[in-house]
Amino acid sequence: MTATLRLLGMGWWLQMKTRSRDPFDGILNIIYPLIFATTVFMMFREGGDESALITAAVGASVMGVWSAVATSAAGSLQNERRQGTLELLVAAPAPFPLLVVPMTLAMATLGLYSLVATLLWGRIVFQIPISIDQPLVFAAAAIVTAAGISLMGFLLAVTAVRYRAAWALGTALEFPIWIVCGFLIPVATLPEWVQPISWILPPTWGVAAIQDAAFGGTPWVNIAICLGLSAVYGVIGALLAGRLVNAARTHATLALT
Amino acid sequence: MPVIEVADLRRTYHAKTGIRRRSSREVEAVRGISFEVERGELFGLLGPNGAGKTTTIKMLITLLLPTSGSIRVLGFDAVTEPREVRSRVGYVFGGDRGLYERLSGLDNLRYFAQLYGVPAHEQMARIGELLEMVGLSGRERERVEGYSRGMRQRLHIARGLLHRPEVLFLDEPSIGIDPVGARELRDTVAALASTGTTVLLTTHYMFEADSLCDRIAVIAGGQIVAHGTPAELKGRVADGNVVEVEVFGSAEGSLDAVRALTGVSSALVEERGQAQVLVVRSGPGIDVTAPVLGCLSGIPLGRVAMREPTLEDAYVELVGAQDVT
Amino acid sequence: MTSLRIFFLGGWTSYRALFGWLSPWILIPTFIIGPVLQIVFFALVGRTAGVGDDTFFLIGNAIQYASIPCLFAMGNTIGGERYSQTLSLLLASPARRVPLFLGRSLPVIVNGLLCSLIALVLGSLVLRVTIPVSAIPMLVVAVTVAAFSCTGLGLAIAALGLRVRDVAVLSNIVMGVLLVFCGVNVALTAMPDWMAAIGNSLPLTHGIEAARATVAGASAADVSGLIVTEVAIGSAYLALGLLMLAYFERESRRSATLDLA
């Protein structure tokens, strides 16, 4: 148990180190969501409804967490393959899923920077009166949401073990999740056939919990659903990882050559 | 009980060609090889590029599934019990890939120590010991991207030994490093073997296999074409003579005629710079120089020399014979 | 004649080399699905915020999406060459610079144009927006000039590629600037004056405005001023890019900063 936690912790920490050593990547991860947030804030300001603007500011802050994961998760194992470490990870006795989960956890953690940056941007530049009703609960809800997003990223990353073009899929999924998870657009206003998709995605519940925490609701049910769904994604990802690694052993796709 | 038992191992790849019309071609990389390695032995798989060495080693360390045949490592089945095999063997490959460039050497080692389940309280001591052994002490906090090839290779070795593996697999470990580094590497490998670690090494350098290995299997075209101690392999060609004739022109046309001469056991053409060299091996006590030169009449010739056969002759002959078939 | 050959042939070859690694698996999400999703996203946000209408977001985002191929492909022309170490070979060649780099821009403009047009068609189907048939010719003109002026900006960024190491990051940031300032999702009239001033000096702004006016029923004569302004802005960036290329080329020959430093 402690060895497993240590393995996760070390994987997470080293991934954070690796990722934060690419200054360009880091800057982009913060600036890119801010660009979209800026546009969104201007649109809501033009609309004139102050309370809608505040809700949007809180929702927009989560957009960057998903961007950080979506754009890097699918490519992460391709990177490992390219630098020749994917084989070493598979050849190690530690269960493969436990090596991939910390990678996407680290991406989501870096995404939390953008969450804070977006809130500050809204507060300072747009002077949106964001006040967090229950700061600790808000932080907890944000962390749970980030965890849920990282487990979605885990599923995405695992798919890429076998399919090399999957990295493009990650980028293509950036907008759809922004659209369906209720970051800015209330799920209830989406077409009816879309809503069930929203319900099975952890960030939908995570964002709802974050908004509850910010505006004085009770987020615990939403947090629990987000955690439960995340666990399901984790289990599916782990099962898929086992199958795909075996397929890769048959089809010899672990190495680049 | 042998540490490694390989029986009738085969591996086929499906190479896909074309995008529109998907035609699948089967490539047999490994075509039924069998061998055994005893505990503490330093065993070499020697063969040219593309002979099937890497494919074989990847099946042994559970990264590839064999198409047929069986592999037992330390008594465990590499196909059905991969976890058991993985935790007991180490794997090191040559070249400068396989490291986390943006992390320090120390971080690379700590991560893999954790991956291989080295207990937390032993990790730092073990890493220190290995850094000392491979001569990287003092450099471990620098990022790997600044390491030289030799340093990377030594870091690889340290990584492969973290969990004190009973068997170490080395895939072309000296590729791309300078002669001094390669010699240090061989010393390290020899030292390891002397402490009881079983080592399986692949290489296409004959002298490396000759100087290191207790036993060698020569692999070519996916099959083992010969196997024994270096002395035994040399013995296969020791009783006889080798005649080398420098030819300025095309020697290939005369090959068949030379091979047909009495007493000639093999003939090959090698490219050396501007000239081709015809290498003719004959049985003991037979001098074939004059008849060979007779076959080459009309072609400008250079130096003609006669010498004792070497391990290289044995190797070239074994591998060359395979190419012909 | 030679200049013309360098213009067409050289441009097409280099373009294929740059995008040769892209498979349909990557091209379709990037150039077809991506823009439609962006249109839908902003249209839905617009509905939630109670601003604009679907046509407004359809036209703004479809045209803005042309900036992705225009900025990235053009920006990468230099960065990519430097990465594959062919830049010094190229600059060592006696080929005239202006047709060389202008030639590279032609396929990029076509790509941007196609990207925008596909986005307009698919976006109007998804959002059920009808565009009057009479507006189509002028709409295509507006999209073409927008793609042209964006490529001009792309060339200026490509020139910076001789100096900056990571042009892709720069292209991303510039793309974001265009998204915010060019009236894509927020009309210039709803922006603070200083932002509108920046927007008016960037490519896309006038092209988008012309396209919106055309679809709303304006005649060719009504929008000709906007079209001319868009072309002028694009030409200005193009000229700036060519000047910078000439300057940096001379500079880097002196200070040896041409290849990967």
Side-chain angles (χ1 to χ4, degrees), chain C residues 112-133:
Chain C
L113 173 66
L114 285 177
C115 198
S116 285
L117 290 179
I118 292 171
L120 276 172
V121 172
L122 294 179
S124 63
L125 291 174
V126 172
L127 293 175
R128 304 213 175 95
V129 168
T130 34
I131 292 169
V133 180

Side-chain angles (χ1 to χ4, degrees), chain A residues 2-4 6-8 10-11 13-15 17-22 80-96 98-99 102-103 245-246 248-257, chain B residues 11-14 58-59 61-66 78-80 82-83 86-89 91-93 96-104 107-108 110-112 114-120 123 143 156 159 163:
Chain A
T2 36
T4 306
R6 260 187 75 93
L7 179 63
L8 287 173
M10 190 179 285
W13 176 238
L14 293 180
Q15 190 72 23
K17 263 194 187 176
T18 312
R19 298 216 153 250
S20 50
R21 280 176 182 172
D22 188 344
E80 300 276 341
R81 182 186 276 130
R82 207 173 288 145
Q83 62 185 352
T85 43
L86 183 61
E87 284 194 308
L88 297 177
L89 297 184
V90 173
F96 186 64
L98 293 184
L99 313 185
M103 293 182 196
V245 165
N246 262 331
R249 285 171 74 199
T250 311
H251 297 284
T253 52
L254 288 172
L256 203 55
T257 44
Chain B
R11 171 71 205 200
T12 313
Y13 290 110
H14 296 274
K58 283 187 178 169
M59 288 192 279
I61 57 165
T62 79
L63 283 180
L64 274 179
L65 292 173
V79 176
T80 57
R83 185 78 52 88
R86 286 169 188 172
S87 59
R88 289 170 176 82
V89 307
Y91 170 47
V92 172
F93 55 81
D96 36 22
R97 294 165 71 245
L99 295 165
Y100 292 101
E101 300 272 323
R102 287 192 203 154
L103 296 176
S104 66
D107 279 341
N108 270 277
R110 283 169 62 191
Y111 184 48
F112 278 97
Q114 195 63 43
L115 283 184
Y116 278 88
V118 178
Q123 283 177 10
R143 288 196 207 172
H156 265 309
R159 197 213 70 234
H163 56 299

Side-chain angles (χ1 to χ4, degrees), chain C residues 197-211:
Chain C
I198 294 179
N200 275 320
S201 64
L202 289 171
L204 288 186
T205 310
H206 298 88
I208 291 173
E209 207 181 325

Side-chain angles (χ1 to χ4, degrees), chain C residues 160-228:
Chain C
L160 281 180
L162 282 176
R163 276 301 163 81
V164 191
R165 211 169 157 163
D166 211 328
V167 206
V169 174
L170 190 67
S171 301
N172 262 303
I173 292 171
V174 173
M175 196 206 76
V177 168
L178 295 178
L179 184 72
V180 172
F181 288 88
C182 291
V184 178
N185 295 299
V186 179
L188 260 63
T189 49
M191 285 181 194
D193 291 344
W194 65 273
M195 284 184 79
I198 294 179
N200 275 320
S201 64
L202 289 171
L204 288 186
T205 310
H206 298 88
I208 291 173
E209 207 181 325
R212 284 191 182 130
T214 304
V215 173
S219 69
D222 294 337
V223 297
S224 59
L226 289 169
I227 299 279
V228 170

Side-chain angles (χ1 to χ4, degrees), chain A residues 25-235:
Chain A
D25 216 29
I27 291 167
L28 205 60
N29 265 339
I30 294 187
I31 291 183
Y32 192 75
L34 283 187
I35 288 166
F36 282 89
T38 302
T39 307
V40 166
F41 293 165
M42 285 166 70
M43 288 167 74
F44 277 92
R45 175 135 288 168
E46 194 190 348
D49 181 346
E50 190 75 5
S51 77
L53 177 61
I54 299 172
T55 315
V58 172
S61 68
V62 190
M63 287 165 63
V65 185
W66 171 243
S67 294
V69 174
T71 48
S72 356
S76 59
L77 289 179
Q78 177 65 0
N79 276 344
E80 300 276 341
R81 182 186 276 130
R82 207 173 288 145
Q83 62 185 352
T85 43
L86 183 61
E87 284 194 308
L88 297 177
L89 297 184
V90 173
F96 186 64
L98 293 184
L99 313 185
V100 185
V101 166
M103 293 182 196
T104 56
L105 268 178
M107 294 165 201
T109 312
L110 291 173
L112 287 174
Y113 283 132
S114 123
L115 184 143
V116 175
T118 310
L119 288 176
L120 290 176
W121 185 257
R123 179 87 212 172
I124 295 164
V125 179
F126 284 83
Q127 292 170 341
I128 303 170
I130 307 166
S131 61
I132 307 293
D133 202 57
Q134 313 163 63
L136 282 178
V137 183
F138 181 89
I143 290 169
V144 167
T145 308
I149 286 175
S150 68
L151 285 168
M152 283 172 68
F154 165 60
L155 194 59
L156 207 58
V158 161
T159 318
V161 179
R162 184 78 178 81
Y163 303 101
R164 291 176 195 187
W167 68 265
L169 181 74
T171 317
L173 282 176
E174 199 171 8
F175 278 116
I177 297 297
W178 285 1
I179 294 171
V180 302
C181 285
F183 293 167
L184 298 165
I185 306 147
V187 173
T189 64
L190 293 170
E192 268 176 30
W193 62 271
V194 178
Q195 294 184 18
I197 303 174
S198 309
W199 299 333
I200 58 165
L201 294 166
T204 308
W205 307 93
V207 172
I210 286 176
Q211 281 168 342
D212 286 341
F215 307 126
T218 8
W220 302 111
V221 175
N222 286 330
I223 287 183
I225 298 176
C226 180
L227 278 175
L229 279 175
S230 308
V232 172
Y233 280 73
V235 170

Side-chain angles (χ1 to χ4, degrees), chain B residues 111-131:
Chain B
Y111 184 48
F112 278 97
Q114 195 63 43
L115 283 184
Y116 278 88
V118 178
H121 57 277
E122 289 173 21
Q123 283 177 10
M124 287 322 277
R126 178 68 182 149
I127 290 171
E129 199 175 292
L130 286 167
L131 285 169

